[in-house]
Amino acid sequence: MKSPTVRAGRILDAQLHLVDRQVLDRDGMPVTAVDDIELSDIPLGTDLADVEPPVIENLLAGAVLGTRIFGGRTPDNHWRRIPWSAISQLRVAIHLEANADDFDLSWSERWVRERIIGRIPGGRHDPE
């Protein structure tokens, strides 16, 4: 049996530390909430005692309400991925090193703002 290797890092409970946490960009603006995580692959057919534990590759966000209510699995093309390397701080909220627009996570909010709110009289500027 291979001795376990010690890697620098932090052990996380995904349900406690990541899932359903709010994600903030570098300016502190809300971006999205984490719906799931994507882990590195574990080779099939190997003894788990000889394999290093999986590493978080991406945080996943997307429209998953339907699958949470009715069951099933969200298609891969519906997920928006936030690379683990883009995270600067992991606290009560997850802080990113980049702006929200770099990840195209708030496209639905922009769409509603431009197509619906922007067409309402006075919807394109702050009230006076």
Side-chain angles (χ1 to χ4, degrees), residues 60-120:
L60 302 176
V64 296
L65 182 61
T67 57
R68 286 189 179 179
I69 292 173
F70 301 113
R73 183 178 166 163
T74 304
D76 284 342
N77 63 349
H78 288 190
W79 289 116
R80 302 290 178 241
R81 287 170 169 74
I82 302 170
W84 184 252
S85 59
I87 296 172
S88 63
Q89 296 177 354
L90 188 60
R91 296 184 175 174
V92 174
I94 298 170
H95 297 264
L96 300 177
E97 294 178 340
N99 290 326
D101 294 335
D102 296 342
F103 297 102
D104 197 33
L105 293 165
S106 57
W107 69 268
S108 58
E109 291 180 21
R110 280 196 315 272
W111 186 89
V112 169
R113 182 179 62 230
E114 293 169 4
R115 309 281 171 137
I116 298 173
I117 304 298
R119 294 179 182 207
I120 297 172

Side-chain angles (χ1 to χ4, degrees), residues 21-89:
R21 293 286 176 132
Q22 186 174 26
V23 178
L24 305 174
D25 71 357
R26 79 169 66 154
D27 299 325
M29 297 300 295
V31 177
T32 189
V34 177
D35 294 311
D36 206 346
I37 59 173
E38 189 171 54
L39 300 174
S40 59
D41 289 332
I42 296 176
L44 296 175
T46 57
D47 184 13
L48 292 180
D50 296 336
V51 177
E52 292 191 26
V55 176
I56 299 171
E57 291 184 351
N58 296 305
L59 300 179
L60 302 176
V64 296
L65 182 61
T67 57
R68 286 189 179 179
I69 292 173
F70 301 113
R73 183 178 166 163
T74 304
D76 284 342
N77 63 349
H78 288 190
W79 289 116
R80 302 290 178 241
R81 287 170 169 74
I82 302 170
W84 184 252
S85 59
I87 296 172
S88 63
Q89 296 177 354

Side-chain angles (χ1 to χ4, degrees), residues 2-20:
K2 190 166 101 176
S3 64
T5 57
V6 177
R7 293 189 294 174
R10 180 173 165 188
I11 297 175
L12 296 174
D13 181 333
Q15 187 67 32
L16 180 65
H17 294 110
L18 299 173
V19 176
D20 291 331

